[in-house]
Amino acid sequence: MSKFKKKGDSEVPAISTSSLPDIVFMLLFFFMAATSMREVSLKIIVKMPEASEIKKLEKKSLVSYIYVGKPTEIYQKKFGSEPRIQLNDALKDISDIGQYLVSEREKQNEADIPFMTTSLKVDGETKMGVITDIKQELRRSDALKINYSTRKLIR
Amino acid sequence: MSNRKVPEINSTSTADIAFILLIFFIVSTTMNIDAGINRKLPPISDEEIKDAPEVKERNVFIVLLNRNNALFVEAGPLDISELKEKTQEFILNPLRKDNLPEMVLLSEKRDKALAAKDLSKAKEIQRAIDIFGDKWVSKGVVSLQNDRSTKYEAYIKVQDELMRAFNELQNSLAKEAFGKPMDDLTEQEQDLVRVVYPLSISEAEPAKIGGK
């Protein structure tokens, strides 16, 4: 019987994984705080242009979105490859914008209605004709605050 | 006697649970923050305004993007890199040229507002005078025109350059008067800066000519 065990006999102690949940929870909280829920699934391709003089949109609940762009490949058979307008989850026509804005307005408090903004998320390749029609439609619906959504360009 | 220890709850699976939650959040959320160029559209009126205020030609800065995305400023072609400086020259009119817009003193504007019985406006202008001194204000308006087949990307680029021209002027004034950039000022202070450098960009309806 020896007091000293041979070194070869001792096993490498297992790495403790008790802090693993803590690490994962930390990641989880980071993602919960830093991200926001996806609201719509896009049926069109929107690659927004870049700009540097941009302002962040505050109060997301007061923002209604209008997406414009070419339909993705799956939808091109049905809707063609010309730029289309997407409101919520469906591809719509310009004439539907008024109706859409009315339904967006109904969700809001009456006091908040003047602060509502319409965010235009438009693909860079789109022709201005469509945008102009949308703008006219917005004016007709009295939704005058707009935001040309862009990606950030760092100069 | 039962002095047996309560067995510890096995917590090895918390990691798995947390992972599931984590993956769910990664998949179902997006990170992008919404940002963009803010604009206000002019209100529409049923009948055309008959007595629209006549704007002198020297007070209008015409920026035209044609269907080939080429930029024309005051009827002459211009590179987009020069647009910012040209716009600032138009707003400031530093040499008081005849072909650039008329300049008005803040005190004159205040007296005009008083004469029109627009007290809140006169008060605001007076506050601006107190802070910035009696500055010259341009009467100029930038008119951005485009064709129906202009590319959106080019249009945004021009919008961005115009905004940059205005923002730079507002920022320099804000720094001079408050020692802070425009973004750090309170709403009221920002409004005062905008009295001196109003953001006067008009987006004209495009000419109907030219196909899609």
Side-chain angles (χ1 to χ4, degrees):
Chain A
M1 213 179 87
S2 62
K3 268 196 174 173
F4 306 103
K5 278 185 184 169
K6 274 183 199 162
K7 267 187 185 167
D9 284 355
S10 68
E11 270 178 52
V12 181
I15 298 166
S16 162
T17 54
S18 55
S19 58
L20 186 62
D22 303 345
I23 296 165
V24 180
F25 268 117
M26 224 160 61
L27 278 172
L28 175 64
F29 289 144
F30 168 74
F31 272 94
M32 281 171 74
T35 61
S36 55
M37 280 282 168
R38 257 180 237 270
E39 303 246 318
V40 292
S41 50
L42 285 179
K43 292 181 175 166
I44 52 179
I45 304 162
V46 177
K47 192 170 179 291
M48 292 183 290
E50 288 181 324
S52 63
E53 304 302 313
I54 55 178
K55 290 264 156 64
K56 264 189 205 165
L57 269 181
E58 280 152 24
K59 291 228 175 163
K60 288 251 172 82
S61 57
L62 290 176
V63 181
S64 13
Y65 296 95
I66 295 176
Y67 302 88
V68 184
K70 267 186 198 166
T72 50
E73 259 177 54
I74 318 161
Y75 292 102
Q76 275 190 12
K77 274 183 206 142
K78 201 172 164 194
F79 296 105
S81 57
E82 277 293 304
R84 296 291 303 253
I85 298 165
Q86 178 170 351
L87 308 169
N88 285 334
D89 272 334
L91 295 182
K92 291 280 173 70
D93 283 318
I94 284 169
S95 51
D96 296 319
I97 289 177
Q99 188 62 41
Y100 168 69
L101 288 169
V102 169
S103 70
E104 285 287 307
R105 247 175 235 167
E106 276 169 3
K107 289 182 207 162
Q108 303 294 341
N109 250 332
E110 208 175 319
D112 288 335
I113 288 178
F115 301 105
M116 285 184 69
T117 312
T118 313
S119 174
L120 297 177
K121 296 197 171 220
V122 183
D123 190 88
E125 298 291 310
T126 315
K127 298 271 191 277
M128 278 307 290
V130 188
I131 318 292
T132 312
D133 292 343
I134 292 173
K135 269 175 14 191
Q136 284 303 101
E137 197 64 36
L138 288 174
R139 284 176 67 190
R140 234 167 269 146
S141 315
D142 210 32
L144 300 177
K145 275 181 80 169
I146 59 167
N147 178 286
Y148 297 108
S149 202
T150 58
R151 286 176 295 145
K152 177 133 187 93
L153 172 72
I154 295 140
R155 280 184 206 269
Chain B
M1 289 300 274
S2 64
N3 58 350
R4 269 193 297 164
K5 274 187 197 159
V6 180
E8 246 180 77
I9 296 167
N10 189 355
S11 64
T12 37
S13 55
T14 23
D16 304 341
I17 296 166
F19 262 122
I20 292 172
L21 280 172
L22 178 65
I23 289 163
F24 168 73
F25 269 92
I26 291 176
V27 170
S28 66
T29 61
T30 49
M31 206 144 183
N32 55 358
I33 26 158
D34 277 326
I37 302 170
N38 279 327
R39 259 304 125 73
K40 207 152 182 182
L41 296 173
I44 208 160
S45 53
D46 291 337
E47 67 252 46
E48 286 295 306
I49 307 162
K50 275 169 206 129
D51 46 14
E54 200 132 304
V55 185
K56 283 186 197 157
E57 205 199 318
R58 62 180 281 200
N59 288 340
V60 185
F61 187 62
I62 296 171
V63 179
L64 174 72
L65 257 176
N66 76 359
R67 61 203 183 106
N68 300 322
N69 305 319
L71 184 68
F72 291 86
V73 171
E74 301 280 48
L78 189 82
D79 194 76
I80 189 150
S81 56
E82 293 166 56
L83 179 62
K84 191 191 79 182
E85 252 155 62
K86 200 88 183 196
T87 312
Q88 284 177 345
E89 193 196 347
F90 171 82
I91 304 164
L92 293 173
N93 193 2
L95 302 172
R96 300 286 181 272
K97 281 188 195 158
D98 282 343
N99 56 348
L100 291 177
E102 299 164 90
M103 305 295 280
V104 198
L105 272 173
L106 274 175
S107 52
E108 283 173 44
K109 276 192 98 168
R110 178 199 55 199
D111 296 340
K112 227 178 183 178
L114 276 177
K117 297 264 188 321
D118 194 349
L119 280 180
S120 61
K121 196 178 168 193
K123 225 181 211 170
E124 182 154 44
I125 295 171
Q126 182 57 48
R127 277 181 50 213
I129 294 174
D130 293 341
I131 291 174
F132 307 119
D134 207 357
K135 290 254 182 196
W136 291 94
V137 180
S138 174
K139 272 188 163 180
V141 176
V142 177
S143 167
L144 177 53
Q145 302 172 357
N146 62 274
D147 192 87
R148 282 189 73 87
S149 2
T150 308
K151 241 192 219 169
Y152 181 67
E153 201 173 11
Y155 181 76
I156 286 297
K157 231 180 193 169
V158 172
Q159 285 266 21
D160 196 32
E161 286 297 315
L162 291 176
M163 285 298 273
R164 222 155 66 113
F166 280 94
N167 281 356
E168 245 172 48
L169 293 176
Q170 290 178 345
N171 253 329
S172 69
L173 181 67
K175 274 199 185 126
E176 189 189 302
F178 301 106
K180 283 186 276 186
M182 189 73 172
D183 288 336
D184 295 344
L185 300 182
T186 60
E187 279 291 312
Q188 286 93 341
E189 288 170 336
Q190 286 187 5
D191 285 342
L192 287 181
V193 174
R194 286 195 198 108
V195 170
V196 182
Y197 293 122
L199 185 67
S200 43
I201 302 174
S202 112
E203 297 167 23
E205 290 168 41
K208 288 276 189 292
I209 32 167
K212 273 201 174 168

